[in-house]
Amino acid sequence: MSGILTITTDFGYRDSYVPVMKGVIARIAPDVRVVDVTHDITPQDVMEAAYVLRGVVPHFPSQTVHLVVVDPGVGSKRRCVAVRKKDQRFVGPDNGIFSLLLDGEAPDELVELDRAQFWRTNSPSRTFHGRDI
C-alpha cells in the first residue's frame, strides 16, 4: 500500500498514543506517507473533528485515507467502520463523525471493520481501537 494517510485525534503528544499508532502504520504500510491533521481536537468533540476535516479533506489527493480517532464511545460496543465517499476514504468509530463530515450525504460505501483476521490482535484493547483495529 502506498499513498497518504491523515490522522486526526483528540489526544496530543504528551502521551504515547500517536507515536504508537504511527509505529503500527509504519510496520503495516511502510510506504505510506502519514500527515498529522491535528491532535488538538477538544476531547471527544465529534462536531469539532468533523468541522476541521471538512475544511481539510478537499485539499488532499484522491484515494487518501483519513483516520479519525475522536471517540466519546471508546470501550463501548460501537462499531469501527471504513467509509468511501467519492475519491476519499475514512476510517474510525461509527459515532456520527462521518455523517457530520459528509454533511448528511450517504457514503458511496460503508463497511464494518469486524473481521478479526485483519486486526493486530484477536482481543483489541477496549480503549485503544486506533492501534488494534
Side-chain angles (χ1 to χ4, degrees):
M1 178 179 171
S2 63
I4 297 176
L5 178 128
T6 72
I7 301 179
T8 301
T9 70
D10 60 354
F11 40 80
Y13 280 110
R14 293 183 196 158
D15 51 43
S16 64
Y17 294 111
V18 172
V20 165
M21 287 180 56
K22 286 183 173 186
V24 169
I25 292 164
R27 281 181 169 219
I28 294 170
D31 296 332
V32 168
R33 183 170 50 154
V34 176
V35 175
D36 294 281
V37 171
T38 183
H39 302 294
D40 290 326
I41 300 294
T42 303
Q44 305 179 352
D45 193 335
V46 172
M47 185 70 81
E48 181 182 352
Y51 174 79
V52 168
L53 282 166
R54 285 176 71 182
V56 169
V57 167
H59 302 284
F60 278 88
S62 66
Q63 310 311 315
T64 296
V65 176
H66 305 276
L67 177 61
V68 184
V69 185
V70 176
D71 189 11
V74 69
S76 70
K77 297 268 185 206
R78 61 93 190 97
R79 306 178 309 161
C80 296
V81 296
V83 175
R84 181 177 59 81
K85 183 63 177 181
K86 298 180 183 167
D87 63 349
Q88 300 292 315
R89 278 114 170 99
F90 305 90
V91 175
D94 187 16
N95 62 11
I97 183 78
F98 301 120
S99 296
L100 293 167
L101 180 61
L102 300 174
D103 202 21
E105 292 183 28
D108 296 324
E109 185 175 9
L110 181 139
V111 295
E112 184 174 358
L113 304 177
D114 61 352
R115 295 175 61 190
Q117 68 262 35
F118 297 112
W119 299 349
R120 282 191 60 248
T121 174
N122 286 330
S123 301
S125 165
R126 289 184 44 132
T127 59
F128 202 177
H129 285 157
R131 174 195 64 203
D132 294 341
I133 297 177

